[in-house]
Amino acid sequence: MIRTSPALPEVLALLPTPAATQYLTWSVLAGQEDPPRVALQRVSKPIGTTAARWQTVPVRELVEEAMRRFAHTRTQADAWLAPRLHATLRMTRAEAADPELWNFVSLVVAPDYVVWRHRGAVTSATPKPTAPTDRFVGTHHKQAFARLWWAAEMFRDGEDYRSAEFACGNQDVLNTALKLNAIDHRPTALALLRILRNLAERKAPRLGDHVNALASEINLVRSTLMCDFIAPVEPPDADAVLDWIAEGEAAPPVPLESLPEGPRDGRVPETSVDVLVNIFEKIHEESTHLRRRGATIGGSGTRVSLAKPGV
């Protein structure tokens, strides 16, 4: 249920983590009361501009729509919300790396969403579950909104969010792969998704085990293999990102029924993804990580062909 509370501020601000954490009481984490919005605004620092990309209302409308759409399937909200949040909060990576921005979003703009999405299940041992603190003030791969923005950023292919949508539909990708330094290399990120999509289409059992095994394997490969050399990609076009940000001033709200468009900062060469898929496939077939978990590549112990599925 979405409760009424003091009016939203017009624009986002920067909320220092020490100030944020002191208000994360058990009642707030359990969703029994909202953080004190007015007090939090007083200790927040202004961004210094009222540009459209910092407006709070579009973010608030998105999270309310997500809670409405996925009232009974809350984990599925991630895939829907991530690309739309990214296309609404148009930022550079440097701006998105500031945890104080995400603190403000989680505690001032949408604390009810954080609790709705991340509160644990009711059990006999935990009759009154809470949301973990790090979903409010955590690292980029844990914080409720930062993890979605960064997943959309790391797994998109230029302006195309389809690969990011697929990535965010798998909780193991968000919980494991998003932490990898290796996914800073865009062909690596898309190669991982191509393999996972093919496995999913072939209904490979225990897909989460495959994700975790691949993450370990890719980390190892990246430490010994010059992926930047064998799978080259042009650096993202910084000017295109700035143009996309500027266009946001006059852009309409993001579409709810179709994917928005991201910055046209360059697509990943298919040949670079192909090279890495072949390498990761061979390593994954002999995976000691996979064998320890008892998973197989195919549905009945048979080898799955990891041909390009068109991520």
Side-chain angles (χ1 to χ4, degrees), residues 192-214:
L192 167 66
L193 297 184
R194 184 182 293 179
I195 294 170
L196 292 179
R197 175 169 284 183
N198 195 274
L199 288 166
E201 289 176 350
R202 296 174 185 274
K203 296 181 169 48
R206 300 173 65 173
L207 191 61
D209 288 341
H210 289 280
V211 175
N212 294 323
L214 278 164

Side-chain angles (χ1 to χ4, degrees), residues 237-272:
D237 184 341
D239 288 337
V241 173
L242 295 177
D243 288 343
W244 175 72
I245 289 172
E247 290 164 4
E249 287 301 300
V254 295
L256 302 182
E257 305 302 336
S258 59
L259 287 173
E261 287 191 358
R264 295 180 177 86
D265 57 348
R267 302 291 291 268
V268 176
E270 293 289 342
T271 52
S272 292

Side-chain angles (χ1 to χ4, degrees), residues 109-306:
V109 178
D112 52 338
Y113 176 85
V114 181
V115 173
W116 171 83
R117 173 62 185 84
H118 293 289
R119 180 168 50 191
V122 174
T123 66
S124 57
T126 313
K128 295 181 179 180
T130 59
T133 300
D134 59 8
R135 297 301 188 181
F136 283 92
V137 295
T139 59
H140 79 281
H141 59 270
K142 295 291 287 186
Q143 206 271 355
F145 295 103
R147 76 188 191 113
L148 297 180
W149 193 97
W150 279 102
E153 171 67 12
M154 304 308 291
F155 290 110
R156 66 182 173 86
D157 186 9
E159 71 273 20
D160 189 348
Y161 283 115
R162 287 177 297 173
S163 51
E165 182 182 48
F166 173 74
C168 294
N170 186 299
Q171 292 303 302
D172 290 286
V173 172
L174 286 173
N175 294 335
T176 303
L178 191 58
K179 296 186 290 186
L180 299 178
N181 291 333
I183 65 166
D184 286 344
H185 183 243
R186 295 188 296 158
T188 296
L190 295 188
L192 167 66
L193 297 184
R194 184 182 293 179
I195 294 170
L196 292 179
R197 175 169 284 183
N198 195 274
L199 288 166
E201 289 176 350
R202 296 174 185 274
K203 296 181 169 48
R206 300 173 65 173
L207 191 61
D209 288 341
H210 289 280
V211 175
N212 294 323
L214 278 164
S216 298
E217 294 151 15
I218 288 171
N219 242 5
L220 178 61
V221 168
R222 288 283 293 176
S223 68
T224 58
L225 196 66
M226 296 178 63
C227 289
D228 294 340
F229 178 76
I230 65 171
V233 61
E234 291 294 324
D237 184 341
D239 288 337
V241 173
L242 295 177
D243 288 343
W244 175 72
I245 289 172
E247 290 164 4
E249 287 301 300
V254 295
L256 302 182
E257 305 302 336
S258 59
L259 287 173
E261 287 191 358
R264 295 180 177 86
D265 57 348
R267 302 291 291 268
V268 176
E270 293 289 342
T271 52
S272 292
V273 180
D274 292 341
V275 167
L276 293 180
V277 166
N278 289 334
I279 293 172
F280 298 157
E281 170 191 6
K282 291 174 183 177
I283 294 172
H284 192 59
E285 288 172 3
E286 302 300 325
S287 173
T288 57
H289 299 96
L290 207 56
R291 287 200 297 271
R292 281 201 296 268
R293 292 180 171 90
T296 56
I297 300 296
S300 303
T302 59
R303 178 182 179 275
V304 170
S305 171
L306 297 177

